[in-house]
Amino acid sequence: MTESSSNFDSDEVNKLVIFSSDGSYIGNIGRQGGGPGEYDKIRDFCIDRENSRIIILDNHYNLLFFDSEGNYLETHKLVAPAGSIGIVSSGVVALFTEIKSSSYPYGDFKLKIYDYIKKEVIVTKFLADEPQIVPTSSHPLSQSSLGLRLAYSTTDTVYSVLANEVRAKYVVNYEGNLKRPDDFFENLPNVERRSKYIVESGYAGPPSNFMETDQHIFFQYSIKGFRYQTVFDKAANKVLHSNTTIANDYFYGSGKGPLTIIAVTESQFILLVEPQYVKMFHEQNKSKNKESEYHPILKPVLEGINGDENSMLLFAKIK
């Protein structure tokens, strides 16, 4: 099991699976259904190691608690919608949503810090009425041994989420042609046209898919609709490289995410491969008499996919 939980495709995840450190299958946590310890779909999950709790956020805004062996313990019904969850400290989780839900208690706030032992919200942050830069960010919370970070769609600031406060940790400063005018956000059109407007502007979009290790920061940003994967060296205080991601190079325009970076270490990316979307992209190209080109490292894997396989993990070395 890993602490990081912020970057899987929650629309497709219907079970939580445990593997050993050598990749051997151990078992599932909970199962689909409507009874105790069962869920419809999983939106997100996290692990409270100090309390030996595995916590699943399901599609009906329930928190399902399991012990470290996968035994069901209890369920908490949340008072407001949430799309992403992360551990703040022992017994305390952060819950985030881009959905405005003023009919619920605390529903006017995007971020709620929830003490699951006392079963109460202890901190709220970020009013839902703040203007949206891009439509939504389904999993803006990023967990690592360094703490819980939040990078969401209305700001270039990455926040550190603590039990009693939320404070700015990093700010992305774009330069040159990527830097937006000071009044850029003030002049954004209505919500329906914002994404197109940002794409056409040519300026850099806000950071997403934020991840952090002891030595590096990883995040993506968009320019004219294409995403760029950036690696920042914290000690040297500089960007090592910022390139279009593999997903853009080979799958951009498919409408889905055949390849998604779900975790990083100092030496490698871990990507989730969705075979049905790889097949979709290949068929789209075929209908246009266009050859599907793959990176040499990915080619043996992706060319052999027929679309019926289960999701798989791909480990890519960082050079």
Side-chain angles (χ1 to χ4, degrees):
M1 294 182 295
T2 76
E3 281 190 342
S4 179
S5 64
S6 60
N7 289 282
F8 63 84
D9 185 349
S10 61
D11 291 333
E12 301 300 326
V13 174
N14 294 322
K15 61 182 177 181
L16 185 59
V17 183
I18 303 176
F19 294 90
S20 67
S21 58
D22 64 2
S24 301
Y25 170 77
I26 296 177
N28 297 341
I29 302 295
R31 62 182 181 182
Q32 285 186 272
E38 298 177 339
Y39 43 77
D40 175 17
K41 289 184 179 180
I42 299 175
R43 287 181 173 268
D44 205 352
F45 80 98
C46 63
I47 301 171
D48 185 345
R49 296 185 182 278
E50 288 191 35
N51 287 300
S52 299
R53 294 291 182 268
I54 300 167
I55 309 170
I56 290 177
L57 170 64
D58 78 0
N59 207 38
H60 299 291
Y61 311 123
N62 296 311
L63 296 185
L64 288 80
F65 293 82
F66 300 83
D67 65 20
S68 58
E69 303 299 320
N71 300 305
Y72 170 68
L73 300 173
E74 61 178 330
T75 295
H76 292 189
K77 180 67 178 177
L78 296 178
V79 296
S84 185
I85 185 173
I87 286 293
V88 178
S89 61
S90 175
V92 179
V93 297
L95 302 164
F96 190 88
T97 181
E98 291 278 14
I99 300 172
K100 182 179 180 180
S101 51
S102 54
S103 60
Y104 294 87
Y106 313 107
D108 286 334
F109 292 91
K110 297 179 182 179
L111 179 68
K112 277 81 69 175
I113 308 299
Y114 179 68
D115 185 322
Y116 72 75
I117 296 175
K118 296 180 180 179
K119 297 185 179 180
E120 64 181 23
V121 173
I122 55 178
V123 174
T124 55
K125 186 75 173 175
F126 305 120
L127 283 169
D129 285 335
E130 290 179 356
Q132 296 292 298
I133 295 174
V134 293
T136 60
S137 177
S138 59
H139 291 92
L141 292 169
S142 174
Q143 194 99 48
S144 75
S145 60
L146 301 172
L148 185 65
R149 305 289 185 245
L150 169 66
Y152 78 110
S153 67
T154 64
T155 176
D156 289 339
T157 303
V158 176
Y159 297 89
S160 180
V161 182
L162 307 172
N164 57 353
E165 66 174 329
V166 179
R167 62 182 181 219
K169 179 69 176 179
Y170 303 109
V171 177
V172 180
N173 293 316
Y174 298 106
E175 299 177 346
N177 295 333
L178 304 183
K179 186 175 178 62
R180 297 178 293 254
D182 292 337
D183 61 352
F184 181 77
F185 299 133
E186 298 174 11
N187 295 323
L188 285 177
N190 59 40
V191 174
E192 290 74 19
R193 294 188 57 246
R194 281 179 188 170
S195 293
K196 183 177 180 182
Y197 178 83
I198 291 173
V199 168
E200 293 175 345
S201 74
Y203 298 116
S208 63
N209 296 87
F210 179 91
M211 301 181 198
E212 183 178 10
T213 63
D214 289 339
Q215 299 176 33
H216 300 103
I217 293 171
F218 304 83
F219 67 92
Q220 295 179 1
Y221 64 91
S222 62
I223 305 174
K224 296 184 178 180
F226 285 87
R227 291 176 295 166
Y228 287 75
Q229 182 68 50
T230 298
V231 180
F232 181 85
D233 186 310
K234 293 194 287 187
N237 194 32
K238 68 177 183 179
V239 173
L240 298 182
H241 65 81
S242 186
N243 301 315
T244 53
T245 66
I246 291 173
N248 274 332
D249 290 342
Y250 308 106
F251 303 114
Y252 181 76
S254 67
K256 295 290 183 180
L259 286 178
T260 304
I261 298 173
I262 62 170
V264 295
T265 69
E266 299 294 1
S267 62
Q268 62 188 3
F269 288 112
I270 303 173
L271 300 100
L272 176 66
V273 181
E274 295 285 7
Q276 67 270 36
Y277 298 148
V278 174
K279 180 182 178 182
M280 179 193 303
F281 173 79
H282 179 73
E283 290 178 347
Q284 286 177 345
N285 276 347
K286 188 176 180 180
S287 67
K288 299 174 184 177
N289 294 319
K290 181 180 177 182
E291 189 71 23
S292 296
E293 297 181 1
Y294 303 115
H295 190 283
I297 294 176
L298 302 179
K299 189 172 182 178
V301 176
L302 300 182
E303 282 194 334
I305 286 176
N306 60 33
D308 297 326
E309 300 90 347
N310 292 326
S311 301
M312 58 187 77
L313 295 179
L314 181 64
F315 293 78
K317 195 170 184 179
I318 298 175
K319 293 184 178 181

